Amino acid sequence: MKKNILLLTDFSEPSYSAIKYALELFKKERCRFYVLNTFKTVYSLIQDVVPPKPGEKGYDEPKEKSLEGLERVSKRIMSEEENNPFHEFDLIARNEKSLLNAVEAIVEEKDIEMVVMATKGLTNDNSSVFGSNAVQVMEKIRNCPVLVIPKQAQKKIPKEIVFPTSYKTHYKKRELNYLIDIIRACNASLRVLHITNNGDIDENQQEQKEMLKEYLEEVKHSFHTLSCVTVSTAIKCFVESRDSDMVAFINKKHAFFDTVFSKPLVKEIGYKLKVPVLVLHDLKN
């Protein structure tokens, strides 16, 4: 069965780097890639209250530019794909109020199994690791995993994935299925990183740890602990010291995810984040 993967592009180099990473990650899997670019209509000075419609200049010209850009991206992909028989591509130019609205719609329409995007694109400044679009998509797209790729990420199959946890929240096996699939497909190892203030875990945390052990018994994994350090410092030091290839989180609303992706902490994780971030989701939300 083919995977349906949504690739986001604003025609910037970071967005193309993210596309290349996805193509390499799923190199040996049957996939239909939907390549999405969103465009905004151009309002006339006279009729600036009424949005332009198809057939009108303010709509058709931006759409044409979007389609032309998608064709350039498509040609670039084909020149590097070497006719990979496992991959098919559909190009989508979409007019929506925001990128998030477009992604939400297409995830539903196309039964998307993963969204892949760059940490930042053309319009994001250098004041934070994640651009505003990336943060919105990571937080709000909850029907499928989101993989966010920094420009500096090496275009290689991940061999070690880091999974930070406090052991304070309950994980379901189906929430981890996509991560387990990636581990198997890449023949990778998972490093479960417990971050704590005192080094001890209570009875409930021990139960969560044992449950994780059961879920992960069919893949290579190990458990690690860092104490008396901030979450950001722990993740950054652990990943850099081991030369890990990816970090995976589960978006538990009002819990760990809020801490990890709060603006101050995002800046602390590192100005130049070099590994992809895979955001999975709490299925209750």
Side-chain angles (χ1 to χ4, degrees):
M1 183 179 292
K2 291 179 183 175
K3 284 184 168 67
N4 293 329
I5 311 294
L6 179 60
L7 308 176
L8 310 186
T9 181
D10 61 0
F11 312 134
S12 65
E13 279 305 308
S15 69
Y16 189 72
S17 292
I19 289 173
K20 286 181 66 176
Y21 186 94
L23 298 181
E24 183 63 27
L25 181 63
F26 297 107
K27 188 174 184 177
K28 297 181 179 180
E29 296 191 54
R30 295 192 176 277
C31 298
R32 180 179 292 276
F33 293 102
Y34 294 90
V35 187
L36 169 68
N37 173 257
T38 59
F39 65 92
K40 293 184 178 180
T41 55
V42 179
Y43 286 65
S44 70
L45 293 176
I46 300 174
Q47 297 176 321
D48 59 357
V49 177
V50 181
K53 299 177 181 179
E56 297 178 356
K57 183 178 179 180
Y59 183 97
D60 290 350
E61 286 189 356
K63 182 177 181 179
E64 186 61 31
K65 288 181 180 179
S66 177
L67 290 171
E68 288 172 358
L70 286 168
E71 283 298 332
R72 289 194 300 271
V73 170
S74 177
K75 288 178 181 178
R76 200 170 170 185
I77 290 171
M78 296 308 162
S79 69
E80 299 180 18
E81 270 279 88
E82 298 179 351
N83 297 317
N84 187 330
F86 297 123
H87 292 174
E88 298 177 9
F89 297 87
D90 284 353
L91 308 178
I92 303 175
R94 183 68 69 97
N95 172 232
E96 291 282 358
K97 291 181 180 179
S98 68
L99 175 64
L100 179 62
N101 288 346
V103 173
E104 286 176 330
I106 293 168
V107 165
E108 287 297 320
E109 292 170 13
K110 306 297 184 182
D111 193 22
I112 297 298
E113 297 172 58
M114 178 179 280
V115 177
V116 181
M117 67 184 299
T119 52
K120 289 191 284 190
L122 286 171
T123 59
N124 294 126
D125 61 29
N126 293 321
S127 62
S128 63
V129 175
F130 299 107
S132 57
N133 280 332
V135 171
Q136 276 197 327
V137 173
M138 285 189 290
E139 288 181 340
K140 304 298 183 183
I141 298 301
R142 308 194 61 83
N143 294 344
C144 69
V146 177
L147 182 60
V148 185
I149 316 294
K151 185 178 181 181
Q152 302 93 335
Q154 297 184 40
K155 310 305 180 291
K156 65 176 184 179
I157 300 298
K159 292 302 177 185
E160 180 168 288
I161 301 171
V162 178
F163 183 71
T165 179
S166 64
Y167 297 137
K168 291 181 179 179
T169 53
H170 176 70
Y171 296 124
K172 302 180 183 68
K173 187 171 184 179
R174 63 184 183 275
E175 292 170 345
L176 294 165
N177 279 344
Y178 213 99
L179 175 58
I180 290 171
D181 285 347
I182 289 178
I183 295 168
R184 285 175 174 161
C186 299
N187 193 27
S189 298
L190 185 70
R191 308 305 177 198
V192 180
L193 176 61
H194 175 223
I195 303 164
T196 178
N197 290 328
N198 55 28
D200 297 324
I201 60 176
D202 60 27
E203 184 177 345
N204 178 64
Q205 288 174 301
Q206 185 62 42
E207 289 179 2
Q208 304 308 323
K209 182 177 181 179
E210 293 303 318
M211 195 168 294
L212 271 177
K213 283 183 180 179
E214 290 183 21
Y215 294 163
L216 300 172
E217 61 185 2
E218 296 179 4
V219 297
K220 291 181 286 186
H221 67 278
S222 58
F223 289 82
H224 307 262
T225 300
L226 286 177
S227 59
C228 301
V229 289
T230 64
V231 172
S232 59
T233 300
I235 295 170
K236 188 173 185 293
C237 290
F238 190 84
V239 169
E240 290 183 356
S241 66
R242 299 180 60 89
D243 197 22
S244 304
D245 305 304
M246 183 181 289
V247 177
F249 298 102
I250 288 188
N251 178 351
K252 291 280 185 182
K253 242 181 180 180
H254 311 303
F256 191 61
F257 186 86
D258 288 344
T259 306
V260 170
F261 290 103
S262 63
K263 288 184 180 179
L265 192 50
V266 164
K267 291 180 181 179
E268 289 175 22
I269 289 175
Y271 179 73
K272 292 185 177 179
L273 190 67
K274 295 181 180 180
V275 299
V277 173
L278 176 66
V279 181
L280 307 161
H281 295 288
D282 179 358
L283 298 179
K284 290 188 297 183
N285 294 309

